[in-house]
């Protein structure tokens, strides 16, 4: 994953260096886009749901998307459990233990 990150950094530097030029050929932009897509395809941290969100035409099941959304929100749902446990205790403590 580190090597992929470094390759994306190099690609980003190349893209930013194009901003300094007055004219950029479409071929250069399309080559950078192809390299970027290839890096994303080789990346270990992208799921098929990530590719679907980037490309709406990609064939993927709605269940895969829902699973990805569920797993994304699961840490926030898990955080609600300790909050619900602490809430009554905090209420009791703020009333002075009564």
């Amino acid at each position: 994953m580190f090597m992929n990150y470094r390759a994306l950094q190099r690609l980003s530097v190349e893209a930013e260096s194009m901003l300094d030029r007055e004219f950029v050929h479409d071929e250069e932009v399309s080559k950078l886009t192809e390299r970027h897509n290839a890096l994303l395809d080789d990346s270990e941290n992208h799921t098929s749901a990530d590719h679907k969100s980037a490309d709406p035409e990609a064939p993927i099941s709605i269940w895969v998307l829902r699973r990805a959304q569920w797993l994304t929100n699961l840490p926030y749902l898990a955080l609600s459990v300790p909050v619900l446990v602490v809430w009554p205790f905090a209420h009791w403590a703020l009333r002075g233990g009564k």
Side-chain angles (χ1 to χ4, degrees):
M1 187 151 81
F2 176 75
M3 297 307 289
N4 199 349
Y5 174 73
R6 295 288 297 164
L8 281 169
Q9 280 184 322
R10 286 191 295 274
L11 184 72
S12 176
V13 168
E14 287 181 46
E16 288 177 5
S17 70
M18 287 182 169
L19 293 174
D20 297 333
R21 300 184 349 210
E22 288 185 26
F23 182 77
V24 178
H25 292 283
D26 289 340
E27 293 172 4
E28 293 175 291
V29 174
S30 63
K31 284 181 184 178
L32 281 178
T33 303
E34 287 174 16
R35 285 179 46 209
H36 180 258
N37 288 336
L39 285 170
L40 287 180
D41 290 342
D42 292 340
S43 179
E44 302 158 5
N45 62 345
H46 285 280
T47 65
S48 55
D50 295 331
H51 292 290
K52 173 66 176 179
S53 65
D55 180 15
E57 300 295 320
I60 190 169
S61 168
I62 189 69
W63 298 110
V64 172
L65 288 175
R66 287 186 180 165
R67 184 185 71 207
Q69 290 170 344
W70 173 256
L71 290 175
T72 299
N73 294 320
L74 187 61
Y76 301 111
L77 295 172
L79 181 61
S80 66
V81 173
V83 168
L84 292 174
V85 169
V86 170
W87 186 269
F89 175 73
H91 184 67
W92 173 80
L94 291 174
R95 288 187 321 187
K98 297 179 184 178

